[in-house]
Amino acid sequence: MESILKYPHLFEPIMLAGQLFRNRIFSSPQGYYNVGPECFPNLDCVAFYERKAKGGFASVCAGDCIVDEKTGTHYPFTYRIDDPNCLPGFAAYASAVSRQGAVASVELSHAGLHAEAVAKRGGIVYGPVDMEGMYGPVREMPESEIYRIIQCYGKAAELAKQAGCGMVTIHGGHGWLLAQFWNKKINTRKDKWGGESIENRMRFSLEVVDCIRRYVGPKFPIEYRMSGTESYEDGYDLDEGIEFAKALDGRVDLIHVSAGHHQVQSAMLVTHPTMFMEDGCNAKYAREIKKHVKTPVATVGAFTDPAQMEEVIASGWADVVELGRQTLADPDLPLKARLGKEDEIIKCMRCMTCFGNSGEKRHYYCSLNPETEHELENKNVQPPKVLKKVLVAGGGIAGMQAALTAKRQGHEVILCEKSDRLGGILLCEENVPFKKHLSEYLRTQALLCKRAGVDIRLNTEVTPEYALSLKPDVIIAALGAKQLEPSIPGIDG
Ligand SMILES: Cc1cc2nc3c(=O)[nH]c(=O)nc-3n(C[C@H](O)[C@H](O)[C@H](O)COP(=O)(O)O)c2cc1C
Ligand code: SF4
């Protein structure tokens, strides 16, 4: 009870369009690219999202579900939600997330002029106007096509609801189709869908919202994800972002204020703040927008600390906090915060390894969490039949993680470190201010080893004689990595 009261605002349930969310911590949209050629949710992806729900998030969102595969695909392996055969996959997803007490959402998306996969297979790429795009020529989207795409959004939302999802999230930010129509430098159309008038540039988005509402009815929450500002020279600024939010006010149930642009590198780093930026650095955009709307507002970007998240809600900057990478680094953040175990939270250090790998290998790796994208495998791990005595030599990050994993399986674990502290070679980063989450990680892992009951022996070098004297069943040699020295003339001083 005490720890619930510690973050009373963060753990206060919220009702959106008749749907109850158990707290204010949502998992922000994340795509999953390890899907088969049909691009439907599979068992791996279901386990990936279910793990977040199990960690206590109030809502989990499957990102980048393409509403029209023919014209809307950016990456070739994103979900499609325009084919009735995808229904069982989304139903499995919704059921897995719901049985953990969270609300499942899908993000409805269309890449518009950035539909790279469409361009690569020789399809027609549509944007607001004729132009030369990043992937070749872009054709002005004819009005008939606009109306067809609006219907695609509506039907996709209907399918999501039928699958058992409790919300849909319209992706109206990060420079994708709907945001392209908002941008007056891009959308110079002369008809009712563009030009100087904000009303015209918003028409597409609002028609999408209204169409979805017709398909899902009033008692079904619609979240609208937008960039508060596009954060680059030719993008729209916060003043316009406020006007867009005002037009959405009362028509959607949650205005989700992100920032930046996916296809402009400098602005992409605003969307996904780097380790050089402060925690919660984009909350200021939500705060400004919230001053102008009555609809609940969500903020996102670089949140890792429940105390800061509580403050954001308590001070009225936002009603909901959404977490992206933090759900990969430690999906148990909500549970740990609720149980008063904040000191056990592994904080995302914003190294972007996950992001790089998701693009290059279609596989998430987290530098800090070995479980990420092995959720299905981990879900099915059986307790060992025979418990063993495990000796881990080396108390760096690999040794600590190995010790923890073995201990959690029930083995007897001795962790030896020849220096007087756990942490290994990465302790040299300890005083670098922008790597503070890395040093916190080292401390947290050491704490977790201690709390798990690992027998930690500092100032202990594992010699052959010492190892033999302990009679272990297994020895794990985690002896550290050698630092890489680039061959730069003069590097030796
Ligand atoms: C690996 C990865 C995949 C993402 N996939 C999506 C996506 O499919 N749709 C989307 O709108 N945002 C996506 N995002 C952006 C996140 O939802 C979030 O806005 C961003 O990471 C900033 O939040 P954070 O600092 O808490 O990570 C993704 C981010 C990452 C790191
Ligand atoms: S890989 Fe890095 S940025 Fe991604 S979740 Fe893990 S710690 Fe965070």
Side-chain angles (χ1 to χ4, degrees):
M1 195 64 190
E2 226 173 63
S3 60
I4 296 174
L5 293 177
K6 191 163 173 193
Y7 305 114
H9 298 86
L10 203 52
F11 286 100
E12 188 186 351
I14 184 169
M15 185 81 92
L16 302 174
Q19 174 70 261
L20 186 68
F21 295 77
R22 61 183 160 187
N23 59 49
R24 307 301 181 95
I25 318 171
F26 288 18
S27 172
S28 73
Q30 260 168 35
Y32 186 90
Y33 310 105
N34 184 11
V35 291
E38 72 287 351
C39 295
F40 301 159
N42 56 25
L43 286 179
D44 285 294
C45 102
V46 168
F48 173 74
Y49 296 109
E50 183 180 5
R51 183 65 188 83
K52 300 173 198 296
K54 195 173 172 201
F57 285 89
S59 172
V60 173
C61 184
D64 269 346
C65 303
I66 301 300
V67 297
D68 181 45
E69 196 267 343
K70 190 173 125 209
T71 60
T73 312
H74 173 55
Y75 296 121
F77 291 95
T78 37
Y79 308 117
R80 56 185 298 185
I81 190 164
D82 61 344
D83 178 337
N85 292 317
C86 70
L87 182 66
F90 282 108
Y93 156 71
S95 144
V97 168
S98 317
R99 72 173 163 246
Q100 300 295 346
V103 174
S105 183
V106 293
E107 182 185 46
L108 306 178
S109 198
H110 188 296
L113 69 89
H114 297 305
E116 180 183 357
V118 176
K120 283 194 172 149
R121 62 173 183 243
I124 301 175
V125 174
Y126 289 113
V129 291
D130 286 334
M131 62 189 286
E132 194 53 34
M134 285 171 105
Y135 311 107
V138 173
R139 289 247 306 268
E140 176 171 311
M141 193 178 269
E143 193 164 58
S144 57
E145 190 65 9
I146 292 179
Y147 282 119
R148 188 182 72 79
I149 299 292
I150 290 168
Q151 283 299 315
C152 289
Y153 277 96
K155 286 181 192 149
E158 184 185 43
L159 187 143
K161 186 177 177 190
Q162 190 188 350
C165 291
M167 180 163 78
V168 288
T169 303
I170 300 170
H171 200 345
H174 304 172
W176 303 119
L177 177 68
L178 299 177
Q180 291 156 20
F181 272 76
W182 284 10
N183 183 316
K184 68 176 164 218
K185 295 226 170 111
I186 298 175
N187 185 1
T188 53
R189 292 172 76 109
K190 302 281 179 273
D191 59 7
K192 67 175 185 179
W193 304 97
E196 273 304 309
S197 139
I198 284 201
E199 202 188 330
N200 281 357
R201 279 181 279 131
M202 289 229 47
R203 193 177 309 280
F204 197 168
S205 305
L206 296 183
E207 294 260 352
V208 164
V209 171
D210 292 348
C211 179
I212 290 178
R213 183 63 77 205
R214 281 195 296 279
Y215 273 99
V216 298
K219 289 272 172 203
F220 191 84
I222 301 176
E223 175 183 33
Y224 197 101
R225 176 166 238 213
M226 61 176 282
S227 293
T229 158
E230 289 193 307
S231 312
Y232 76 104
E233 213 186 331
D234 289 336
Y236 63 80
D237 60 13
L238 181 58
D239 288 338
E240 262 204 302
I242 290 169
E243 294 309 311
F244 297 140
K246 278 158 70 177
L248 293 169
D249 195 16
R251 295 172 102 122
V252 297
D253 305 293
L254 183 63
I255 300 177
H256 174 160
V257 182
S258 180
H261 192 295
H262 195 276
Q263 301 297 96
V264 177
Q265 202 178 10
S266 59
M268 199 273 274
L269 297 177
V270 177
T271 309
H272 308 89
T274 67
M275 59 171 71
F276 303 106
M277 289 144 141
E278 290 301 313
D279 276 20
C281 53
N282 289 343
K284 54 185 179 285
Y285 305 124
R287 179 189 57 179
E288 282 313 307
I289 283 178
K290 190 157 167 57
K291 287 178 190 163
H292 299 270
V293 297
K294 293 200 173 59
T295 304
V297 167
T299 179
V300 67
F303 284 102
T304 63
D305 178 4
Q308 185 189 37
M309 290 152 59
E310 166 72 13
E311 182 56 28
V312 162
I313 310 272
S315 58
W317 285 33
D319 304 278
V320 165
V321 179
E322 305 221 7
L323 310 185
R325 289 162 290 179
Q326 181 58 48
T327 70
L328 302 175
D330 189 347
D332 290 327
L333 178 143
L335 275 183
K336 288 178 179 173
R338 195 179 166 114
L339 295 172
K341 294 186 175 174
E342 305 85 340
D343 56 357
E344 296 191 1
I345 293 171
I346 303 290
K347 294 182 176 174
C348 164
M349 59 178 176
R350 303 202 279 281
C351 64
M352 293 299 265
T353 301
C354 52
F355 197 83
N357 281 305
S358 70
E360 275 167 34
K361 304 194 176 95
R362 294 173 33 216
H363 190 92
Y364 287 114
Y365 294 97
C366 172
S367 309
L368 305 182
N369 183 3
E371 195 196 317
T372 299
E373 222 180 304
H374 295 282
E375 292 80 8
L376 186 60
E377 189 184 321
N378 278 293
K379 199 174 149 184
N380 296 324
V381 169
Q382 300 295 318
K385 291 202 176 80
V386 182
L387 293 180
K388 296 191 172 168
K389 184 171 185 180
V390 179
L391 169 61
V392 182
I397 52 168
M400 286 194 282
Q401 185 61 56
L404 267 176
T405 305
K407 189 69 196 172
R408 284 170 181 159
Q409 283 294 298
H411 301 292
E412 178 190 348
V413 182
I414 302 169
L415 172 61
C416 294
E417 164 56 37
K418 76 174 172 193
S419 77
D420 60 358
R421 283 180 70 191
L422 293 178
I425 197 167
L426 286 177
L427 286 169
C428 69
E429 308 278 11
E430 215 172 12
N431 297 319
V432 182
F434 59 83
K435 292 192 181 171
K436 70 173 184 199
H437 290 327
L438 175 59
S439 15
E440 281 168 2
Y441 164 70
L442 300 177
R443 285 197 294 277
T444 306
Q445 287 288 84
L447 179 82
L448 288 170
C449 284
K450 198 170 154 206
R451 286 198 181 150
V454 172
D455 178 353
I456 301 168
R457 301 185 184 181
L458 300 176
N459 303 305
T460 306
E461 186 166 356
V462 179
T463 59
E465 298 73 33
Y466 187 72
L468 281 172
S469 74
L470 292 176
K471 297 193 176 57
D473 300 303
V474 175
I475 298 180
I476 297 176
L479 302 174
K482 286 207 175 69
Q483 71 189 42
L484 187 75
E485 281 193 12
S487 56
I488 299 170
I491 197 164
D492 303 329

